[in-house]
Amino acid sequence: MTKKSGLFDVDFSLTTKELTASIKGEKSTAARYKLFSEAVRTIISQEVSGYRLRTIKDYDTVLMNFSRSTGVTYLEKITVDTIYSRLDSMHVVNQTKLTRLKVLKSFLGKCFTNGWLSLNFWQLM
């Protein structure tokens, strides 16, 4: 007979501070301050099997250019104003702006799914 696992498994690797924060419903410090570049690398590595090489390259290029031009280093610093100011500063045709916005919104959606963002503000754009 096989041993079932998963239902009653307990993770004892949490520190007291993290455990207290999770009981209070707070996010840990690491989750609250996710680095933008780290999030990009993680998302790309999570999706490598499903994306073409060109898509991965575009994700990396568009997202890192966004970070560099806006000065955003943490995910929590991204706002609607940040996104619109970046789009306004780009000297490209509107279709290119829409494509880059689509990449950014997709990335933010994956960050929200991973629990790195608490609010999906980009859905209202």
Side-chain angles (χ1 to χ4, degrees), residues 94-106:
N94 285 338
Q95 186 59 46
T96 304
K97 290 180 183 182
L98 289 173
T99 302
R100 292 183 183 164
L101 178 61
K102 183 178 176 183
V103 168
L104 185 59
K105 287 172 112 179
S106 174

Side-chain angles (χ1 to χ4, degrees), residues 12-106:
F12 290 105
S13 64
L14 294 175
T15 64
T16 307
K17 185 177 180 180
E18 291 171 330
L19 186 58
T20 305
S22 67
I23 291 171
K24 291 180 180 178
E26 302 171 357
K27 288 189 173 187
S28 68
T29 306
R32 282 188 292 189
Y33 302 109
K34 184 74 169 176
L35 283 172
F36 186 86
S37 58
E38 183 182 322
V40 170
R41 285 192 305 268
T42 303
I43 295 296
I44 288 175
S45 67
Q46 285 176 345
E47 302 293 331
V48 159
S49 61
Y51 285 153
R52 296 180 311 182
L53 186 59
R54 172 63 192 250
T55 305
I56 294 170
K57 182 180 177 291
D58 286 348
Y59 257 59
D60 187 42
T61 303
V62 169
L63 295 173
M64 294 319 269
N65 284 340
F66 173 82
S67 175
R68 199 174 308 114
S69 67
T70 58
V72 169
T73 54
Y74 291 99
L75 288 176
E76 292 75 21
K77 299 296 181 183
I78 300 173
T79 63
V80 173
D81 293 334
T82 308
I83 295 170
Y84 279 130
S85 69
R86 169 64 181 145
L87 292 173
D88 287 341
S89 70
M90 295 169 41
H91 302 291
V92 293
V93 297
N94 285 338
Q95 186 59 46
T96 304
K97 290 180 183 182
L98 289 173
T99 302
R100 292 183 183 164
L101 178 61
K102 183 178 176 183
V103 168
L104 185 59
K105 287 172 112 179
S106 174

Side-chain angles (χ1 to χ4, degrees), residues 80 83 105 108-109 112 117 119-125:
V80 173
I83 295 170
K105 287 172 112 179
L108 292 173
F112 181 72
L117 293 174
L119 181 66
N120 54 355
F121 62 88
W122 61 92
Q123 294 287 336
L124 305 173
M125 294 177 69

Side-chain angles (χ1 to χ4, degrees), residues 107-121:
F107 168 73
L108 292 173
K110 289 173 178 60
C111 290
F112 181 72
T113 301
N114 282 333
W116 301 329
L117 293 174
S118 58
L119 181 66
N120 54 355
F121 62 88

